[in-house]
Amino acid sequence: RAGVSVPDPLWSLQRLRAAVHYTVGCLCQEVEEDKDVQFSKQSIAAISEITFRQCGMVFYFMHYDLCRHAKRTTVNTEDVKLLARRSNSLLKYITQKSEELASSNVEQKEKKKKKSNAAKGERTPGEQEAAGTENEDSNMA
């Protein structure tokens, strides 16, 4: 189709691999500073490759085993928690982040709803109550 840009899956995979390599390099650098150790470029590359492959296996397991078993096509938070269940600290971290994201999503939805109502000239229940109180005060005066 003319004018439509479709991302090349191979290019995306290479970008992801490069991002993993960069992140592993940054983490290794932090460890070097904290623990006074050195990582060779070969060891960073090996750690990066192992990490990338492990993530691929985790994705495959979550998508093809967990989702298909549940007759779904989307990986959800519960799938990730199920995968992390053997590591209490990881499970706790994932649960905490999941709750933070859920809370943030609720807040964003409320903000959008308020903006939408304001654009339509409608008032939220709290604003309606405040306006009612103002009217009562002006009627008493």
Side-chain angles (χ1 to χ4, degrees):
R1 295 182 289 194
V4 177
S5 176
V6 179
D8 178 14
L10 184 58
W11 180 78
S12 297
L13 198 60
Q14 289 171 340
R15 278 190 68 194
L16 185 58
R17 180 175 263 129
V20 169
H21 184 78
Y22 174 78
T23 303
V24 167
C26 291
L27 291 171
C28 287
Q29 195 171 27
E30 287 180 26
V31 171
E32 285 178 345
E33 292 168 4
D34 290 346
K35 305 293 182 188
D36 195 30
V37 295
Q38 295 290 314
F39 290 91
S40 68
K41 289 182 180 184
Q42 293 85 0
S43 63
I44 293 172
I47 294 168
S48 298
E49 188 60 26
I50 290 168
T51 302
F52 187 78
R53 288 182 184 190
Q54 184 68 30
C55 288
M57 290 187 318
V58 166
F59 170 79
Y60 183 85
F61 172 74
M62 283 195 311
H63 187 264
Y64 291 102
D65 292 344
L66 295 177
C67 288
R68 282 193 174 177
H69 177 73
K71 295 179 176 46
R72 290 184 280 109
T73 57
T74 304
V75 174
N76 63 29
T77 308
E78 294 307 312
D79 295 328
V80 177
K81 288 179 185 178
L82 182 63
L83 186 67
R85 71 187 181 276
R86 291 188 180 141
S87 171
N88 289 332
S89 59
L90 181 58
L91 181 59
K92 183 178 177 181
Y93 179 80
I94 290 170
T95 301
Q96 178 187 353
K97 288 298 178 186
S98 172
E99 290 169 357
E100 288 174 12
L101 286 171
S103 174
S104 175
N105 287 341
V106 168
E107 290 173 8
Q108 287 177 350
K109 285 181 182 179
E110 287 175 359
K111 285 180 183 177
K112 283 183 182 179
K113 189 174 183 180
K114 284 181 183 179
K115 284 183 181 179
S116 174
N117 288 343
K120 293 178 185 175
E122 298 176 9
R123 294 181 176 172
T124 64
E127 292 171 337
Q128 289 173 354
E129 186 177 312
T133 306
E134 287 175 13
N135 287 341
E136 289 173 9
D137 290 343
S138 64
N139 289 339
M140 290 180 160

